[in-house]
Amino acid sequence: MEHCSDFKHSKQTEIKNTCAIIARVFMVLFALSAIGLLAYLGVSVHSFISNDDASLLSIFYPLIQLATACITLRLMYALFRNIANGRSPLTKKHARILAIIASLLLASCLVEIVMQLIPAVSEHIFQVGSFAEIGYVQDPATSSLHIDLKTTVMAAFCYAVSAVFSYGADLQQLSDETI
């Protein structure tokens, strides 16, 4: 019985250490992304103010993508830090974090689709040529719509894992109440 307890303790320690390393990696990635976001924002504002052919629309999409990446990395850090600190992975809080990450990923995909449609719609309806300079759609008549399948699948995966974590938290609560 003692051997089983030692094995369980060593596995828990191994999981905590692994999660602590992963949390540090996500924190470093978050810091680098935040620095990149601030640098991009500074360059974009400077470019817009100096009127170097920058439109708000061309600044908007990368800014949203970078902000989404920063928030996602920060949430991943919080998730793994909590597990490294000994909290159970199967909690409602962790399920909510994963659901938020999935929503951010899905929103990122939707923003990308909208940004692809804006130049085509504006060129056909308003016949404004300046939107075509963004580079997302070169010829609205022959262009195709790009959907980021990897991000969409990752969002679906995060939603599924969120549901599993939520169900696991419910089972854990039921088990605790039974005992």
Side-chain angles (χ1 to χ4, degrees):
M1 191 68 152
E2 186 177 315
H3 175 68
C4 184
S5 176
D6 289 341
F7 177 75
K8 180 180 175 185
H9 179 65
S10 71
K11 283 297 177 188
Q12 287 175 340
T13 302
E14 183 180 331
I15 290 170
K16 287 180 185 179
N17 291 338
T18 302
C19 287
I21 291 168
I22 293 171
R24 284 188 212 111
V25 168
F26 278 120
M27 182 48 87
V28 169
L29 292 173
F30 166 73
L32 292 173
S33 294
I35 291 168
L37 176 64
L38 292 175
Y40 176 79
L41 190 58
V43 168
S44 298
V45 168
H46 174 38
S47 176
F48 186 74
I49 290 173
S50 64
N51 202 10
D52 290 343
D53 265 351
S55 69
L56 282 177
L57 200 56
S58 65
I59 294 170
F60 176 72
Y61 174 68
L63 187 64
I64 292 296
Q65 294 297 85
L66 284 169
T68 300
C70 285
I71 294 168
T72 300
L73 290 168
R74 179 63 176 93
L75 289 170
M76 291 301 290
Y77 163 75
L79 178 75
F80 282 99
R81 185 198 62 214
N82 284 343
I83 297 170
N85 288 339
R87 293 190 185 96
S88 171
L90 301 175
T91 64
K92 291 288 187 181
K93 180 180 180 180
H94 293 158
R96 276 192 309 272
I97 288 173
L98 286 168
I100 291 169
I101 290 170
S103 298
L104 286 171
L105 291 171
L106 196 57
S108 174
C109 289
L110 293 175
V111 166
E112 183 177 354
I113 291 170
V114 168
M115 292 303 291
Q116 291 176 56
L117 294 176
I118 287 175
V121 169
S122 66
E123 191 165 318
H124 281 290
I125 295 175
F126 303 111
Q127 293 166 2
V128 176
S130 63
F131 282 107
E133 295 173 11
I134 295 172
Y136 292 107
V137 177
Q138 294 171 348
D139 182 11
T142 61
S143 65
S144 61
L145 188 64
H146 169 75
I147 298 175
D148 187 1
L149 190 59
K150 292 180 287 190
T151 305
T152 306
V153 169
M154 184 56 79
F157 178 76
C158 285
Y159 274 127
V161 172
S162 170
V164 169
F165 274 38
S166 181
Y167 180 67
D170 289 341
L171 289 178
Q172 183 67 43
Q173 182 181 3
L174 185 63
S175 173
D176 291 346
E177 290 173 357
T178 303
I179 296 174

